[in-house]
Amino acid sequence: MLDTHRFPPDPWRLQETSPDAATHFLNETLFALGNGYIGVRGTAEEGWSGPAGTSLDGTYLNGFYESEPIHYPETAYALAKTNQFMLNVPNAKGIAVYLEDERFDPLQGTVEAYQRTLDLRTGILERSLRWTSPGGRTIAWRSRRLVSFDNKHLLALQVEVTPLNFAGTVRIVATLDGAVKNIEAGDDPRVGSAVSGPALTLLGVEQDESFAALVQQTRNSGFRLVSATLTAVESSHATAFEQDGLRLAQTFTVPAVQGQPIVVTKYASYHSSRDYPEGELLPRSRALLAQARADGFEALAQRQCAYLADFWQQADVEIDGDDALQQGIRFNAYHLLQSVGRDGKTNIAAKGVTGEGYEGHYFWDTEIYIFPYFLYNKPEIARKLLDYRWAGMESARRRARQMSHERGALYPWRTIAGEECSAYFPAGTAQYHINADIAYSIKLYWDATGDIDWLRAHGAEIVMETARIWTGIGSYDRQGRFVINEVTGPDEYTALVNNNYYTNAMAQLHLRFAATVADKLAAGYPQDHARIAAAMGLQEGEPAEWRRAADLMHLPYDTELGIHEQDDSFLSKKRWDFANTPADKYPLLLNYHPMVIYRHQVCKQADVVLALLLLSDQFTLDDKRRDFDYYEAVTTHDSSLSSCIYSIVAAEVGYQDKAYDYFMETARMDLDDTHGNTRYGVHTAAMAGTWLGVAYGFGGMRVVDGEVRFAPTLPARWRHYQFHIHLHGCLLRVRVGGDGTTYTLLRGEALRIHHRGRQVDLTAAQSTHTEA
Ligand code: BGC
């Protein structure tokens, strides 16, 4: 497997040493930069002149979207009516360079040396090359780019062009290009939206001195956007402005002196009315860019580096013994940091801000996969992800009414701004487990932080309102069991079933947690309780009703096989004929009608096996092993959300080789493009799943009611590994090596943990403890 890796296994860098048209589209994703708001694909400043379909020059703003009606030739009541999709916004990177009359284009002429590097410690994407034009002029090119972690609106880049064998005149054309569009969808539901043509209407243009701005407006969602650039070219003679439709250009004429670099610095910003009143957008753009120029590129680069140094200090995972894996793990952590919205209004899309796959939508991927990553590595961001759900409360209430639930709130399966955007309800809206997933993440947050203020202000209301949906859709059957019918669980190769195990088990936890939270508030914070009860019209006996439903919850189990049933009908279906399914028929979703798939025992992803992890203490090890064996045999892992969960549970049940293989598959999924669609964006859930694989999988970490337990194992190929955990305001480092496990309290006064059932108390005075 190792020798098939696409990049040299450098633990801190991703480096491409020759340009390759065949992998260009894919590498644009991998070399994308972002800061949780702006996302810029790794396309070159000078553009791409390769064949159509080999590049997508995208710039995205997390949470900035257009909406369009969803057209159903055959519609039905309460289907999602409007889609929201992340827009490709004006390209601010453009810098064209003309050596006299020859345009710099690496696809023409000769590239004599080439390197493109993403450095995970500096946050800079750097490209350097030596190029000779068809007319024989040779230049050295170096460009550096950053998307500021310090200011979400800012991106900066610097290009140095050095004439190596000529003198004369060089023209630099700095562009701000609004003539961009989103990719058009084909048959693959995982790709982009079907919008064609520019989605933003032009309202105005500003061009003066070195500043350029496009003022635009979305047609339907009603947002205004100001995209702006400020370009500085040292020792330029003259400048001229041009506008060609939606494309603004500023030309600088510079005397070319052999051996002397021409330095172009470009600062760019995006401000939208999702964040500020319309009248503030232009002044804010001007002020920010003027400040950036005053600070200079080097100062911005230093800040970027400082931000990352702090991040790695708190969140680095170190693996000694496998550089390719180390690279994958850090690359994934870095992309998560680049992708995650952290303003309480935005979340993290399935593909981050690196591409248009899944249209910039947020899913349960956040709560079940990505949230724990941030909770234990950067808790302040985790909290912002919860704030986002709070911001969506009213939409969720409205959605519940549309779905004929008199009470409660139903969160959307996929969305940007809070409204349900799922056009295929069997594998969308029907995934009611989203409510329990959100409640689960709130419980995780509460258990790890004890942040009672957040619970009182927002969390309690979300947990209680969403719990009501279970008593709304569930009922008691003839045997007195609480049953939940007609839902879809996590596995999207099985739809609209009764009593999906995962859903019922998670709903049970949710209902109990909601009742506990209600009691806690009533006893300790009666005013908050009264306020929330009034807001949701809580009735006297509801928490008791939640407890009763939880206690009588039907959790399907097959005594003959000794396994948990994925749902009431799963085990009576015909097994998928894997032996006669050729490799090119995977993923099945692209090759079979959904009903063909639904009729069979075949899973796209972990479902029962995910419950084994999330509700770990509810199962015996034997149960886990039997469930694992059974479901592994019928799972394709066509979803990128599957292999990390299988890795973790495999580690727990003692299948070390499988644990390692599934882990490798997860850790380098995007770097090695194992799902074949990374060109449309990275897989953020799997990226977080990599961290889960280290901490939960090999580290054996489980947090049960606030108590953290470890049961570490060391994979045979590793000499040691270490990771960090933020918990109860403390920062813990866990290092697992051949000589045992060392726990170090890096920050905080005292922390109690459990190592293989034994209690370990760490204090500031006695901050280190080693277990053999
Ligand atoms: C998976 C879902 C997931 C979605 C977005 C689908 O392929 O089956 O579980 O939420 O992708 O990542």
Side-chain angles (χ1 to χ4, degrees):
M1 193 167 183
L2 276 179
D3 40 6
T4 65
H5 295 324
R6 297 190 48 243
F7 296 97
D10 182 318
W12 281 107
R13 293 180 316 166
L14 188 65
Q15 194 162 66
E16 182 188 64
T17 47
S18 63
D20 180 358
T23 55
H24 186 261
F25 201 158
L26 166 63
N27 287 356
E28 287 173 359
T29 299
L30 302 177
F31 286 107
L33 292 185
N35 62 2
Y37 179 60
I38 303 176
V40 181
R41 285 172 61 83
T43 37
E45 294 76 15
E46 72 277 7
W48 173 251
S49 63
T54 56
S55 169
L56 169 62
D57 200 345
T59 306
Y60 309 103
L61 304 176
N62 189 7
F64 183 77
Y65 67 93
E66 173 59 313
S67 47
E68 281 204 345
I70 304 175
H71 296 291
Y72 300 94
E74 265 183 82
T75 188
Y77 184 78
L79 295 187
K81 292 275 177 291
T82 311
N83 190 27
Q84 301 169 340
F85 55 93
M86 183 170 81
L87 280 176
N88 190 3
V89 297
N91 176 6
K93 299 185 304 292
I95 294 179
V97 174
Y98 293 85
L99 318 174
E100 303 296 343
D101 55 347
E102 289 187 295
R103 181 173 175 158
F104 165 63
D105 178 354
L107 293 189
Q108 313 299 323
T110 325
V111 175
E112 282 139 24
Y114 174 93
Q115 226 168 45
R116 172 157 66 158
T117 311
L118 171 62
D119 189 320
L120 308 177
R121 278 169 303 192
T122 62
I124 305 254
L125 176 66
E126 175 163 349
R127 194 166 52 113
S128 41
L129 50 91
R130 219 177 112 103
W131 177 77
T132 299
S133 69
R137 295 183 182 88
T138 303
I139 57 164
W141 166 286
R142 179 185 187 223
S143 58
R144 289 180 299 153
R145 181 188 304 172
L146 65 88
V147 177
S148 171
F149 283 120
D150 234 36
N151 187 315
K152 76 171 196 176
H153 302 287
L154 183 66
L155 111 90
L157 56 97
Q158 189 163 73
V159 174
E160 293 169 32
V161 180
T162 311
L164 295 181
N165 65 352
F166 68 99
T169 303
V170 165
R171 269 181 309 129
I172 307 286
V173 184
T175 51
L176 175 60
D177 189 357
V180 293
K181 50 183 197 159
N182 283 69
I183 197 168
E184 284 178 47
D187 286 340
D188 188 340
R190 302 164 303 175
V191 188
S193 71
V195 72
S196 51
L200 290 155
T201 318
L202 186 66
L203 299 183
V205 160
E206 304 250 326
Q207 269 179 310
D208 52 68
E209 292 179 35
S210 41
F211 181 81
L214 287 166
V215 182
Q216 290 171 296
Q217 178 99 15
T218 58
R219 287 172 217 272
N220 305 319
S221 54
F223 298 125
R224 187 161 294 189
L225 174 69
V226 172
S227 316
T229 58
L230 190 155
T231 312
V233 181
E234 283 170 19
S235 60
S236 65
H237 273 168
T239 71
F241 293 107
E242 242 179 89
Q243 181 184 351
D244 175 9
L246 287 166
R247 192 168 170 277
L248 306 184
Q250 184 177 11
T251 302
F252 299 82
T253 309
V254 194
V257 180
Q258 194 173 329
Q260 206 166 297
I262 296 164
V263 183
V264 184
T265 313
K266 197 171 182 192
Y267 305 95
S269 68
Y270 298 90
H271 290 85
S272 97
S273 60
R274 276 211 82 187
D275 289 322
Y276 307 104
E278 288 177 0
E280 287 184 20
L281 303 178
L282 260 176
R284 279 183 181 273
S285 310
R286 281 188 186 277
L288 175 62
L289 296 185
Q291 184 58 52
R293 178 171 53 186
D295 293 345
F297 186 85
E298 295 308 329
L300 296 177
Q302 270 168 24
R303 273 184 233 153
Q304 194 79 346
C305 209
Y307 181 96
L308 285 168
D310 179 61
F311 171 69
W312 292 120
Q313 205 175 17
Q314 296 179 49
D316 188 30
V317 173
E318 204 176 277
I319 307 276
D320 181 4
D322 190 334
D323 283 348
L325 191 54
Q326 175 72 77
Q327 181 184 43
I329 287 172
R330 292 209 176 107
F331 176 78
N332 292 350
Y334 184 78
H335 262 282
L336 287 169
L337 186 68
Q338 294 204 118
S339 298
V340 67
R342 53 199 78 162
D343 55 12
K345 284 182 282 192
T346 56
N347 203 276
I348 178 165
K351 308 286 183 180
V353 278
T354 61
E356 295 172 27
Y358 288 126
E359 300 165 284
H361 287 171
Y362 315 137
F363 294 78
W364 74 309
D365 305 33
T366 299
E367 277 74 20
I368 296 302
Y369 291 79
I370 302 166
F371 180 81
Y373 173 78
F374 283 105
L375 178 64
Y376 299 124
N377 287 284
K378 236 175 149 23
E380 67 276 19
I381 291 184
R383 162 138 169 211
K384 293 292 181 189
L385 292 172
L386 297 180
D387 285 343
Y388 166 82
R389 290 300 187 184
W390 170 248
M393 236 337 231
E394 285 315 312
S395 304
R397 283 191 168 114
R398 276 197 300 277
R399 183 63 182 151
R401 299 304 159 270
Q402 289 166 8
M403 295 297 292
S404 311
H405 307 309
E406 279 167 32
R407 297 183 289 191
L410 176 63
Y411 276 91
W413 175 245
R414 53 190 291 176
T415 188
I416 293 180
E419 291 77 29
E420 176 64 276
C421 295
S422 159
Y424 182 62
F425 76 87
T429 300
Q431 297 201 45
Y432 269 57
H433 64 85
I434 181 77
N435 265 16
D437 302 331
I438 292 171
Y440 185 90
S441 72
I442 293 174
K443 183 169 186 304
L444 219 56
Y445 176 74
W446 164 247
D447 286 347
T449 64
D451 182 351
I452 187 71
D453 293 343
W454 193 83
L455 199 70
R456 287 166 59 194
H458 309 312
E461 194 169 333
I462 302 178
V463 169
M464 293 196 280
E465 269 290 55
T466 48
R468 290 171 130 182
I469 295 298
W470 302 122
T471 42
I473 62 166
S475 55
Y476 293 91
D477 70 1
R478 282 182 297 163
Q479 285 113 63
R481 303 174 306 185
F482 188 76
V483 293
I484 298 175
N485 293 329
E486 214 61 15
V487 296
T488 299
D491 165 34
E492 294 190 351
Y493 281 175
T494 309
L496 299 174
V497 291
N498 297 343
N499 298 304
N500 167 253
Y501 184 88
Y502 175 93
T503 306
N504 288 20
M506 291 290 282
Q508 181 182 56
L509 177 121
H510 183 181
L511 288 160
R512 287 191 174 134
F513 183 49
T516 306
V517 166
D519 289 353
K520 190 177 190 64
L521 284 195
Y525 307 92
Q527 282 183 347
D528 292 310
H529 185 268
R531 173 180 48 81
I532 294 169
M536 58 188 271
L538 186 70
Q539 283 159 21
E540 181 75 24
E542 274 190 77
E545 207 188 302
W546 300 338
R547 278 209 174 89
R548 179 158 175 267
D551 290 346
L552 296 172
M553 184 69 72
H554 173 38
L555 297 170
Y557 189 80
D558 186 282
T559 39
E560 208 174 298
L561 294 170
I563 61 164
H564 298 90
E565 289 179 71
Q566 186 166 307
D567 58 71
D568 283 353
S569 61
F570 189 82
L571 297 178
S572 54
K573 290 178 181 168
K574 186 173 161 190
R575 274 193 174 221
W576 187 268
D577 184 2
F578 292 101
N580 290 309
T581 308
D584 64 359
K585 292 286 187 198
Y586 294 94
L588 301 182
L589 67 102
L590 296 186
N591 294 288
Y592 299 89
H593 189 281
M595 289 215 299
V596 175
I597 299 174
Y598 297 165
R599 255 180 231 128
H600 288 87
Q601 278 192 57
V602 58
C603 301
K604 184 182 181 188
Q605 63 204 100
D607 191 299
V608 168
V609 173
L610 179 55
L612 301 180
L613 168 65
L614 300 184
L615 307 169
S616 184
D617 57 325
Q618 299 182 10
F619 305 91
T620 66
L621 203 58
D622 284 343
D623 266 340
K624 289 181 181 173
R625 199 171 290 123
R626 281 191 304 270
D627 283 347
F628 182 97
D629 290 344
Y630 191 88
Y631 289 104
E632 189 196 27
V634 293
T635 300
T636 61
H637 309 291
D638 282 349
S639 162
S640 62
L641 279 67
S642 198
S643 52
C644 57
I645 306 303
Y646 270 84
S647 166
I648 296 166
V649 178
E652 187 175 8
V653 301
Y655 297 156
Q656 296 312 328
D657 290 347
K658 283 184 191 247
Y660 199 79
D661 289 348
Y662 280 122
F663 180 71
M664 280 304 276
E665 157 64 18
T666 311
R668 294 195 47 105
M669 186 178 290
D670 286 313
L671 283 182
D672 293 336
D673 193 24
T674 53
H675 277 245
N677 60 2
T678 293
R679 63 188 180 281
Y680 300 122
V682 297
H683 297 80
T684 54
M687 288 181 146
T690 309
W691 185 87
L692 299 180
V694 176
Y696 291 7
F698 302 118
M701 172 181 156
R702 299 287 182 276
V703 181
V704 180
D705 295 329
E707 186 183 287
V708 61
R709 306 170 184 168
F710 296 98
T713 51
L714 181 66
R717 295 168 62 157
W718 302 355
R719 285 182 288 274
H720 86 262
Y721 65 101
Q722 69 177 34
F723 56 96
H724 294 82
I725 300 286
H726 285 258
L727 198 70
H728 306 308
C730 299
L731 178 59
L732 174 72
R733 187 175 62 212
V734 182
R735 185 188 189 281
V736 184
D739 50 349
T741 303
T742 302
Y743 299 96
T744 309
L745 190 62
L746 297 175
R747 202 189 290 163
E749 287 308 307
L751 184 67
R752 171 167 297 173
I753 57 172
H754 292 79
H755 175 93
R756 297 193 181 288
R758 226 185 357 264
Q759 184 175 308
V760 176
D761 285 304
L762 298 165
T763 61
Q766 269 227 305
S767 61
T768 301
H769 177 91
T770 301
E771 289 273 345

